[in-house]
Amino acid sequence: LTSVFSHIDPVPLAAASIAQVHRAVLVDGSEVVVKVQRPGISEVIRDDINILYYLAELLQRYVPEARTFNPEGIVNEFFKTLELELNFAIEANNIRRFSENFRDDSTVKIPHVYSQFSGRRVLVLEALKGIPLSQKSALEQENVDRLEVMRAGIRCYFKMVFRDGFFHGDLHGGNLFALNDGKLVLIDFGIVGRLSAKSRQRLSNM
């Protein structure tokens, strides 16, 4: 740890079921955030998923009305999503792709990934000093034009869905930040979605 970080805040900045995030400083002085997976969480999730598979099988066998909704298929999709979310190397790749997609957009900021310090269970990212849109104060910052932030968000969303076919799958106020210069920041890229050209065309037609 001391060869990479000069300081790690022991109090988490944020905590969720799979991981928690800590502020830290690299030995070169760069401010970062470190996302650390909870020890043993993959085993806990697999146990929970096995219980869900068992319940889904019972539903399909004994409740004919449930078969329409394909309970086993729903659990399987949920499991595949969680498997991807447990691998932070995949999240790092997602971030790099979003960075490439938005490199020419001056209104959207994607945090830089420190790949040399990241892996399957640890993710080190550039620290960006913004306020999540879930807090009222995010749009009350001195240099922030709330209409411009909303326009940036709408352009960002439509670009992801209709132009790139690669979109953030967990967009909520806690994963969208407003910087004090008015830029919009996206974080937490563990869940993403993909749309084929045909799907994008059908959505456009609708």
Side-chain angles (χ1 to χ4, degrees), residues 143-159:
N143 297 318
V144 172
D145 182 328
R146 63 180 62 206
L147 284 176
E148 284 306 313
V149 171
M150 285 189 282
R151 289 189 184 105
I154 292 167
R155 284 195 304 268
C156 171
Y157 180 79
F158 276 88
K159 175 175 161 47

Side-chain angles (χ1 to χ4, degrees), residues 62-129:
Y62 297 112
V63 185
E65 297 84 358
R67 293 171 195 156
T68 307
F69 303 104
N70 187 12
E72 286 184 340
I74 291 171
V75 174
N76 197 43
E77 194 68 27
F78 185 53
F79 176 65
K80 285 192 288 186
T81 301
L82 279 172
E83 281 278 275
L84 293 174
E85 203 174 348
L86 282 168
N87 188 347
F88 292 171
I90 292 173
E91 182 173 352
N93 287 334
N94 292 340
I95 297 170
R96 281 191 285 269
R97 184 167 171 189
F98 276 107
S99 295
E100 180 66 21
N101 289 349
F102 284 95
R103 65 180 177 181
D104 297 325
D105 190 333
S106 61
T107 64
V108 174
K109 174 75 175 164
I110 309 294
H112 170 72
V113 180
Y114 289 86
S115 303
Q116 68 273 37
F117 307 132
S118 301
R120 288 181 62 90
R121 292 185 296 171
V122 175
L123 186 60
V124 181
L125 301 169
E126 169 190 12
L128 296 169
K129 294 187 169 110

Side-chain angles (χ1 to χ4, degrees), residues 12-204:
L13 178 65
S17 54
I18 289 177
Q20 59 191 47
V21 178
H22 293 258
R23 291 191 188 278
V25 180
L26 298 178
V27 290
D28 69 358
S30 303
E31 294 186 12
V32 296
V33 291
V34 184
K35 184 176 181 179
V36 184
Q37 196 170 119
R38 295 185 180 281
I41 191 65
S42 58
E43 289 78 12
V44 172
I45 286 174
R46 286 191 181 91
D47 288 345
D48 290 347
I49 291 290
N50 284 333
I51 293 168
L52 287 176
Y53 272 126
Y54 175 69
L55 293 173
E57 187 183 339
L58 290 178
L59 269 175
Q60 292 199 168
R61 186 181 301 171
Y62 297 112
V63 185
E65 297 84 358
R67 293 171 195 156
T68 307
F69 303 104
N70 187 12
E72 286 184 340
I74 291 171
V75 174
N76 197 43
E77 194 68 27
F78 185 53
F79 176 65
K80 285 192 288 186
T81 301
L82 279 172
E83 281 278 275
L84 293 174
E85 203 174 348
L86 282 168
N87 188 347
F88 292 171
I90 292 173
E91 182 173 352
N93 287 334
N94 292 340
I95 297 170
R96 281 191 285 269
R97 184 167 171 189
F98 276 107
S99 295
E100 180 66 21
N101 289 349
F102 284 95
R103 65 180 177 181
D104 297 325
D105 190 333
S106 61
T107 64
V108 174
K109 174 75 175 164
I110 309 294
H112 170 72
V113 180
Y114 289 86
S115 303
Q116 68 273 37
F117 307 132
S118 301
R120 288 181 62 90
R121 292 185 296 171
V122 175
L123 186 60
V124 181
L125 301 169
E126 169 190 12
L128 296 169
K129 294 187 169 110
I131 301 175
L133 294 188
S134 55
Q135 296 181 21
K136 185 181 176 184
S137 56
L139 297 177
E140 294 176 343
Q141 297 179 81
E142 187 176 348
N143 297 318
V144 172
D145 182 328
R146 63 180 62 206
L147 284 176
E148 284 306 313
V149 171
M150 285 189 282
R151 289 189 184 105
I154 292 167
R155 284 195 304 268
C156 171
Y157 180 79
F158 276 88
K159 175 175 161 47
M160 288 190 290
V161 172
F162 291 103
R163 183 171 295 172
D164 302 332
F166 184 69
F167 61 91
H168 194 301
D170 193 20
L171 274 185
H172 57 76
N175 285 340
L176 291 164
F177 281 60
L179 297 182
N180 60 10
D181 61 2
K183 286 183 181 176
L184 186 68
V185 175
L186 277 68
I187 65 164
D188 196 357
F189 298 85
I191 302 174
V192 299
R194 293 170 176 80
L195 288 166
S196 66
K198 183 182 283 187
S199 295
R200 298 201 301 274
Q201 186 62 52
R202 285 175 176 168
L203 281 170
S204 299

